[in-house]
Amino acid sequence: MDESPSVESVPTGGTTTTTPSTTTTIQSLPTEVLTAIFHHLRVPDLASVRQTCRHWYEIVISNRTLMSRFVLSLRNFRIEDGCEQCRVLGGTRSTFEKVCLKTCTVAPAPVLWRTIGTQLAELSLSDCTITGQTLVGVLRCTRDNLRTLTIKSIKLDDHLIYDTPVDFRLERLHTLTIRSSFVYDALFHLFKRICPNLKAIKLTFSSYERWGEELVSFVATLRATLEAITLSYTKATGVILQQIGRIEQLRLRKVSLKSCFAIKENDILLLARLQPTIVHLNLENLFSASEQFLQALSAFLPQMKRIKLRVARITNLHRSFLANMPQLNYLKITDATQLKGNLDLSAYENPALEKLFVSAAMFSRNTLPRFFERCPNIRSLTLYQCTYENIHDLQLAFSHLKGLEYLNLQRTIDIGDSFFNRDVFDTIVMPFERIRFYPIANLRKLCYLNLSHCRDLSDQALMALRFPLLKKIDLRGLHVTEAGIASLVRDCPHLEYVLVDACKRICDQAVLYLCRDLHSLRLLNLESCKAITDQSVEHIVRHCRSLVWLNALNCPQLSEEGKARLRTVRTIRSLHV
């Protein structure tokens, strides 16, 4: 029977009018509202939404943010047409944007890949057994949307790749990563034919035939689109850099040469002169950059935005080399001298800096406040394993960094609980100049805090932390208990990532506070928390609704039954027990 719309009688000045009443249903909500609702769902619920109706299915698969949450991760699995697991997977008619295979045996399975790979954007093959022919078949089935391909620790037969016919192209592939593998010339030859629009090549911990002429040829083929090249931990030499730098029409923007020990200062300067468009440069673990090198580099690369390097201690650089790089916003420097003495930060002053990473440096009195007064826009600060003549200089520095969002003080042995509990007060530090201490607790925009292995911190430090926007905290190796955790979850309720591994005093009660009171908890690291028992497993199973990553390795009081229960938690994608 048809239903007619209901009407309501509304008196108006002695007369009665009828107006139809409308009922809003979830099916009538606009697409934008439904999309916003779907963003707050857990992955299992989002999967159910995708199977509800065609309209909701289209909303999910057309939104990259939602689709990126669907990850197919298989470990120690055999993939081949006809096996029962593949039939079940293909029968679900599910599509994924990201597929990660680790230590899998991959045999030809075109039916399966055509089923699950129509929306595939990221494919990662790690420690897998796969032939060149099968790899080509997989890429053929995922060619429509594949954007990122990662190959790690895989040995391919070069002669089989040469003999494999190629009748397709990966038009949308923009990033190719080959890690811990031997790259035959045949593999470069294959990707030259099928990757016409590649933007980034990443070769790390990998090697190649002869001196790398096929690599240079590969780069030359992609000169119209290639913007980034990573050769970290390879046998790259100055000859390869010179050959790549001289390729006509090549305009590199990002170059990473971390731990390429055969490369010298002159090789970098020649590359900078040939490729002045470089804006990101990683020279970590190479030579110790001298004052003359820094000045020459800044002259060749005025558009530089990010740079990572080791430096010899600079004391007489009167004019900052960063003055020639007005757009620089990220700087990572490691003091390479390993000698007693202080790092002169005045050489690196730049008001455009937004991210600063300093490792293994010693700071003299008043150095940090003076530096941050001239660099007030820093949002991310890492002071790794640094030492200070006066630790309270850090508090003075915070008065200039009120927009700080990321703070890493890992292995800072000079800070204790009093560093956080110190009240704001005035102190005379210079004649006729009054400076106010600014405790870390007043950094209201802080989203990330790393205090790992700061050995003198305890519960008192956690009780002083009040960061309403904090999402990630690293407390590895601290002497904290359930009392400090209870205060932390109360004053930082939006935490999503919590690392308390190697905290020997963390117990089941602390795990209860984390799981019950942090409703957005996504990552929890409990490795080597030897006091936790199966009661913690019960807390995780009962309260964690958003947890996707859990590490409970080296927890001797967890039983096999408890570990088995953790494997049943549907939301956890990555479990380490």
Side-chain angles (χ1 to χ4, degrees), residues 313 333 335 337-345 358-369 372 382-394 408-415 419 453-456:
R313 184 161 291 137
I333 52 178
D335 188 0
T337 56
Q338 303 297 325
L339 300 174
K340 281 192 172 183
N342 298 315
L343 181 68
D344 182 11
L345 278 179
V358 182
S359 175
M362 179 183 293
F363 297 109
S364 60
R365 184 181 295 270
N366 295 325
T367 297
L368 288 176
F372 290 121
T382 297
L383 299 173
Y384 175 78
Q385 207 170 1
C386 294
T387 55
Y388 310 83
E389 285 188 5
N390 181 7
I391 188 61
H392 296 303
D393 277 353
L394 266 181
N408 185 346
L409 299 176
Q410 186 176 0
R411 296 188 182 277
T412 303
I413 61 175
D414 296 328
I415 63 175
F419 179 82
H453 302 292
C454 296
R455 61 191 184 191
D456 293 332

Side-chain angles (χ1 to χ4, degrees), residues 151 153-154 178-188 202-215 230-236 240:
I151 298 174
S153 299
I154 292 179
I178 302 177
R179 181 181 174 89
S180 303
S181 303
F182 186 87
V183 186
Y184 289 99
D185 288 348
L187 197 59
F188 284 130
K202 300 179 181 180
L203 300 181
T204 55
F205 294 99
S206 297
S207 54
Y208 35 80
E209 296 188 55
R210 296 178 297 281
W211 62 269
E213 56 266 38
E214 194 63 32
L215 169 61
T230 297
L231 298 175
S232 299
Y233 298 97
T234 68
K235 59 179 183 180
I240 288 182

Side-chain angles (χ1 to χ4, degrees), residues 434-445:
R434 189 174 294 273
I435 296 180
R436 181 178 293 272
F437 279 108
Y438 195 85
I440 186 176
N442 290 349
L443 299 174
R444 309 303 294 176
K445 295 184 179 181

